[in-house]
Amino acid sequence: HVQLVESGGGLVQAGGSLRLSCAASGYTYNRNCVAWFRQAPGKEREGVARIYTGSGNTYYADSVKGRFTISQDNAKVTVYLQMNSLQPEDSGVYYCAADPFLCPDTLVPGGETNFKYWGQGTQVTVS
């Protein structure tokens, strides 16, 4: 049974940092596409960062480029999202997602349908 579990969310002041983790159980991220999405109230889910764990290739949405960093651990069971210089518009529920087959170059609106496995989400609030 595959489970992805996010952690690390919370309340932070503008300009602060948080590091989100997405831990896999019953699964490894070996040669997987793993992405972070976020959803604010009343808004569509937005892809913010993506990593292909086979090569380490990454993608970032323009809104987070230079502030967020996606990475993986050597055991390939945890993917991180380091978020710096957080702003109120970064608030929302952050979800991690993984797919063993497809890895899109970018995360376009509606692209979340490409991902097979999802975590339950973790709340990030920037005041």
Side-chain angles (χ1 to χ4, degrees):
H1 178 62
V2 176
Q3 272 193 311
L4 306 183
V5 180
E6 301 98 335
S7 61
L11 174 63
V12 65
Q13 290 187 338
S17 298
L18 285 173
R19 188 175 82 155
L20 306 183
S21 298
C22 178
S25 64
Y27 196 69
T28 64
Y29 292 130
N30 189 34
R31 295 182 182 178
N32 260 244
C33 194
V34 185
W36 286 94
F37 292 81
R38 68 186 180 190
Q39 190 164 21
K43 293 189 176 182
E44 293 187 351
R45 193 167 294 189
E46 173 193 18
V48 297
R50 185 272 295 146
I51 187 168
Y52 175 63
T53 62
S55 64
N57 177 268
T58 58
Y59 159 83
Y60 298 95
D62 287 343
S63 57
V64 306
K65 201 172 292 183
R67 300 188 298 124
F68 289 14
T69 303
I70 188 170
S71 63
Q72 59 181 313
D73 70 334
N74 289 335
K76 299 193 186 297
V77 292
T78 305
V79 168
Y80 305 99
L81 186 68
Q82 177 68 42
M83 306 187 296
N84 299 328
S85 302
L86 283 162
Q87 299 302 316
E89 53 266 34
D90 294 315
S91 297
V93 179
Y94 281 69
Y95 301 89
C96 68
D99 193 273
F101 301 117
L102 297 176
C103 202
D105 290 337
T106 62
L107 297 175
V108 298
E112 60 267 26
T113 59
N114 287 325
F115 291 85
K116 182 175 181 180
Y117 302 114
W118 286 83
Q120 82 290 348
T122 185
Q123 178 71 45
V124 171
T125 304
V126 185
S127 63

